């Protein structure tokens, strides 16, 4: 599996410099588009991902969780089996997904932490765009593909629950990832 995007620096509309109409409580909430390529379309039926900021560790003491998704049926996405780049996660997917694909679930972000105190689900259980306070950060999008949905994950799951479910799923998931830069 290969994860790609049409950029290496996350565009402003999906990050810190987004216009106010693309933010909730000062947090960018419009998710960026990306592609999932070169995976076994006959076997992979569900997608799952995490979008993390390891460069946040020196700033806040932990890796910031910006977005996680589980149990997204590949068949729910429109794509052409003959085009390797045709499986696209579209822009603003995080906010549109609950209405479009209710069986897919999104996990909590670090904004949901008791140490942060945010309570708005638009921020705590959807995409949080890059907002590095100190310098440019490198973010990592890690995607897994499985034949079956992961059991026990409900809306608002914690990231460790997704990671345990991937590890315990009884198959070897296909996976890929991409590093992207978020501007300070």
């Amino acid at each position: 599996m290969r994860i790609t995007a049409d950029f290496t620096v996350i565009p402003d509309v999906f990050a810190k410099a987004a216009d106010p109409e693309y933010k909730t409580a000062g947090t960018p909430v419009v998710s960026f588009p990306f592609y999932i390529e070169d995976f076994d379309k006959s076997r992979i039926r569900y997608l799952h991902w995490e979008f993390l900021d390891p460069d946040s560790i020196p700033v806040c003491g932990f890796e910031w969780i910006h977005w996680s998704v589980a149990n997204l049926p590949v068949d729910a996405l429109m794509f052409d089996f003959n085009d390797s780049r045709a499986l696209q996660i579209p822009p603003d997917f995080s906010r549109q997904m609950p209405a479009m694909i209710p069986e897919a679930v999104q996990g909590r972000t670090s904004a949901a932490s008791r140490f942060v105190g945010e309570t708005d689900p638009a921020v705590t259980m959807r995409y949080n765009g890059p907002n590095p306070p100190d310098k440019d950060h490198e973010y990592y999008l890690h995607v897994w593909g499985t034949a079956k949905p992961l059991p026990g994950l409900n809306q608002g799951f914690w990231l460790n629950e997704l990671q345990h479910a991937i590890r315990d799923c009884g198959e070897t998931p296909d996976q890929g990832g991409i590093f992207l830069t978020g501007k300070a």
Side-chain angles (χ1 to χ4, degrees):
M1 175 181 291
R2 193 162 59 99
I3 310 305
T4 62
D6 291 331
F7 48 83
T8 56
V9 175
I10 298 170
D12 288 348
V13 70
F14 311 114
K16 184 176 188 173
D19 291 335
E21 64 266 25
Y22 302 122
K23 292 182 176 184
T24 298
T27 301
V29 293
V30 176
S31 58
F32 61 85
F34 62 93
Y35 300 97
I36 302 164
E37 306 175 50
D38 302 329
F39 65 97
D40 183 350
K41 295 166 186 70
S42 67
R43 185 179 74 80
I44 302 304
R45 297 286 176 226
Y46 293 89
L47 299 171
H48 326 274
W49 64 79
E50 61 186 12
F51 180 55
L52 307 173
D53 178 7
D55 288 338
S56 68
I57 296 169
V59 177
C60 63
F62 54 89
E63 187 171 45
W64 194 272
I65 304 162
H66 283 272
W67 192 20
S68 56
V69 170
N71 297 332
L72 174 63
V74 171
D75 291 344
L77 300 168
M78 300 278 293
F79 73 101
D80 178 350
F81 280 97
N82 298 313
D83 181 355
S84 69
R85 285 205 89 195
L87 183 55
Q88 180 186 36
I89 302 302
D92 205 18
F93 188 66
S94 177
R95 294 191 302 172
Q96 297 172 13
M97 188 174 60
M100 291 172 35
I101 310 168
E103 63 271 32
V105 292
Q106 296 183 76
R108 289 183 178 102
T109 68
S110 290
S113 165
R114 63 186 173 138
F115 301 112
V116 177
E118 181 60 54
T119 59
D120 185 343
V123 176
T124 62
M125 291 192 291
R126 300 286 183 271
Y127 171 84
N128 283 192
N131 202 359
D134 59 335
K135 61 182 180 178
D136 294 355
H137 284 199
E138 289 229 341
Y139 297 80
Y140 187 62
L141 174 64
H142 187 174
V143 180
W144 296 272
T146 60
K148 297 177 184 175
L150 301 175
L153 297 175
N154 298 308
Q155 200 66 254
F157 62 84
W158 291 103
L159 184 60
N160 65 314
E161 295 174 302
L162 171 62
Q163 293 169 343
H164 290 295
I166 289 286
R167 186 184 65 226
D168 298 337
C169 72
E171 61 181 284
T172 302
D174 196 354
Q175 59 185 308
I178 185 174
F179 284 97
L180 299 167
T181 301
K183 302 301 266 177

